[in-house]
Amino acid sequence: MSGKILVTGGAGYIGSHTCILLIEAGYEVIVFDNFSNSSIESIKRVEKIVGSSIVVIEGDIRNRDDLRGVFENHKIDAVIHFAGLKAVGESVEQPLRYYDNNISGTVALCEVMSEYSCKSIVFSSSATVYGDPHTTPIKEDFSVSATNPYGRSKLFIEEILRDLYVSDNSWKVVLLRYFNPVGAYKSGDIGEDPKDIPNNLMPFIAQTAVGKREFLNVFGDDYNTHDGTGVRDYIHVMDLADGHVKAINKIKSFNDVMTINLGAGKGYSVLDVLKAYEMASGKEIPYKIAPRRDGDIASCYADPSYAREILGWEAKRDINQMCIDSWRWQSKNPDGYKS
Ligand code: NAD
Ligand code: UD1
């Protein structure tokens, strides 16, 4: 495969992993990031892994001139749009910052793409758009809703991209709804590097296993699930990255808006993940049962059959592999990229 792919947010967790597979698949990658939640170190490590250098442009997707500079200098074939803020709690406290960054940023990006007749975009949406699903597994045609500004920003952006397609059907739009991305590249040189106390389960467990946190709070043990703790669909970040490469391969041959779940299709509880992580790390991970977290649902996992049908994609790595790879990254880099 060949072509130039602009990866917004390419220095971040999912973006950096995706760059590896894009380059291995033969694409040229241009990373565009303002480093608000990442550092150049991730890209330096990706360069080492792939054995070639990557063009990195520091800029903000809200700044049209930053973006124009990229399109002036590079003939971009498609954009994978990861750039965005993603902390649910923070979005409740700072809604305008989230709407500005995520929504205004996407509008600016699409305007500049349009100016340069680049009309292929793969967007990072989230399973959060399903709200509290009436049943599981979740299919793409289930109803959508949001309970916080982060989730609403994803819903609005999906609608904006659909409207764009209606206005001009030479656009090609892929909306990828990720379930719970975890794990790391197999060498343990890149991984998830939360800036503050992790909100998400796997990085919190990883930091507890490495001794940075005293214990894990298990948010609720009275859900209607097999052991009472919340059930989610964890997907290895390299499987997710592979889904993006397959979406980019596919985007050339269609004109439409495709909405696709990227999940493994299996549900694991908080205690299942904890046990798998103990096995992977050989550490005992202390935990306490705590009250339910506001906004959490009992169970959420994907029906990934549409991704298989349309992209020929399916998740290959199981929960044990996710924990093994997360632990390799965490133990090699106890302080993330600062290590
Ligand atoms: P991340 O924070 O690691 O990566 C996002 C990257 O975007 C960062 O490098 C950040 O510096 C950059 N960025 C943010 N705002 C920017 C702006 N205005 N201009 C330029 N760069 C900007 O997050 P991630 O986990 O890699 O997530 C990538 C995308 O996937 C996000 O849109 C996120 O909402 C979405 N998503 C993530 C998850 C998850 O659990 N990680 C789940 C569903 C969806
Ligand atoms: C969360 C966000 C979701 C976002 C996703 C990816 C909320 C309510 N939802 O999803 O919008 O798209 O992250 O960024 O924040 N848990 C604990 N202890 C912890 C952390 C988590 O028990 O310290 C439990 C949760 O209650 C849940 C499971 O672990 O049952 C997974 O939580 P998490 O990793 O935060 O992901 P989601 O809640 O699925």
Side-chain angles (χ1 to χ4, degrees):
M1 296 289 170
S2 63
K4 249 189 204 188
I5 312 297
L6 176 65
V7 184
T8 75
Y13 172 46
I14 305 170
S16 55
H17 288 80
T18 302
C19 285
I20 296 177
L21 292 191
L22 284 170
I23 293 165
E24 286 180 357
Y27 290 104
E28 200 179 322
V29 160
I30 314 274
V31 167
F32 183 88
D33 204 300
N34 66 359
F35 300 111
S36 57
N37 196 39
S38 56
S39 75
I40 188 74
E41 181 61 22
S42 62
I43 295 300
K44 287 192 180 145
R45 296 192 186 188
V46 170
E47 287 177 327
K48 237 182 182 171
I49 290 165
V50 297
S52 60
S53 62
I54 296 173
V55 177
V56 182
I57 294 151
E58 181 165 0
D60 195 299
I61 50 166
R62 289 164 296 180
N63 185 325
R64 289 166 176 75
D65 288 335
D66 284 354
L67 289 167
R68 285 189 186 108
V70 179
F71 284 88
E72 276 300 326
N73 292 315
H74 302 275
K75 167 88 193 69
I76 304 290
D77 295 296
V79 176
I80 305 185
H81 178 30
F82 292 109
L85 299 174
K86 63 167 183 176
V88 172
E90 193 181 64
S91 81
V92 174
E93 286 152 22
Q94 305 172 27
L96 298 181
R97 180 167 163 243
Y98 269 67
Y99 290 135
D100 180 43
N101 195 86
N102 294 4
I103 299 180
S104 308
T106 303
V107 170
L109 172 67
C110 292
E111 273 179 12
V112 175
M113 287 176 69
S114 223
E115 282 173 28
Y116 289 86
S117 296
C118 172
K119 297 185 181 176
S120 298
I121 185 167
V122 175
F123 172 64
S124 303
S125 188
S126 165
T128 195
V129 301
Y130 294 113
D132 193 352
H134 60 281
T135 181
T136 43
I138 300 171
K139 282 176 149 345
E140 287 83 353
D141 61 1
F142 278 24
S143 63
V144 291
S145 65
T147 53
N148 57 69
Y150 166 72
R152 259 186 289 281
S153 77
K154 293 295 177 195
L155 270 184
F156 288 158
I157 294 167
E158 285 198 358
E159 291 303 316
I160 288 167
L161 293 173
R162 285 194 190 95
D163 287 341
L164 195 54
Y165 175 77
V166 169
S167 73
D168 171 359
N169 56 27
S170 62
W171 276 86
K172 299 154 179 271
V173 177
V174 185
L175 307 172
L176 297 178
R177 293 177 173 164
Y178 313 157
F179 281 68
N180 292 55
V182 297
Y185 182 67
K186 60 185 178 195
S187 68
D189 293 314
I190 63 167
E192 188 170 11
D193 183 19
K195 279 213 159 132
D196 304 311
I197 300 172
N199 296 310
N200 296 118
L201 180 66
M202 183 76 84
F204 200 101
I205 289 183
Q207 292 194 2
T208 311
V210 86
K212 287 182 77 176
R213 313 265 159 225
E214 219 180 313
F215 59 89
L216 169 77
N217 276 310
V218 174
F219 296 141
D221 67 347
D222 56 353
Y223 286 107
N224 184 18
T225 61
H226 64 270
D227 61 14
T229 67
V231 165
R232 297 291 183 274
D233 184 337
Y234 297 93
I235 171 170
H236 196 294
V237 67
M238 292 307 290
D239 282 328
L240 195 63
D242 181 45
H244 290 74
V245 176
K246 294 212 159 69
I248 283 290
N249 293 344
K250 179 82 187 177
I251 212 164
K252 294 179 184 139
S253 60
F254 81 103
N255 276 89
D256 204 346
V257 180
M258 289 198 295
T259 307
I260 305 173
N261 283 342
L262 290 185
K266 291 194 185 85
Y268 290 98
S269 73
V270 176
L271 295 179
D272 293 336
V273 177
L274 189 87
K275 274 183 222 131
Y277 215 98
E278 287 188 330
M279 285 274 286
S281 62
K283 306 270 179 193
E284 196 189 321
I285 300 168
Y287 70 92
K288 291 184 183 166
I289 303 298
R292 291 181 177 196
R293 180 172 68 178
D294 266 2
D296 271 355
I297 56 175
S299 185
C300 171
Y301 59 95
D303 177 339
S305 52
Y306 186 58
R308 193 171 338 133
E309 187 190 312
I310 201 86
L311 299 180
W313 173 92
E314 63 187 353
K316 296 198 178 82
R317 297 159 179 91
D318 66 11
I319 190 74
N320 298 320
Q321 195 63 51
M322 298 180 212
C323 294
I324 289 167
D325 290 337
S326 161
W327 177 241
R328 193 178 296 108
W329 152 254
Q330 185 67 62
S331 50
K332 264 178 110 169
N333 305 273
D335 293 315
Y337 287 112
K338 287 191 288 296
S339 297

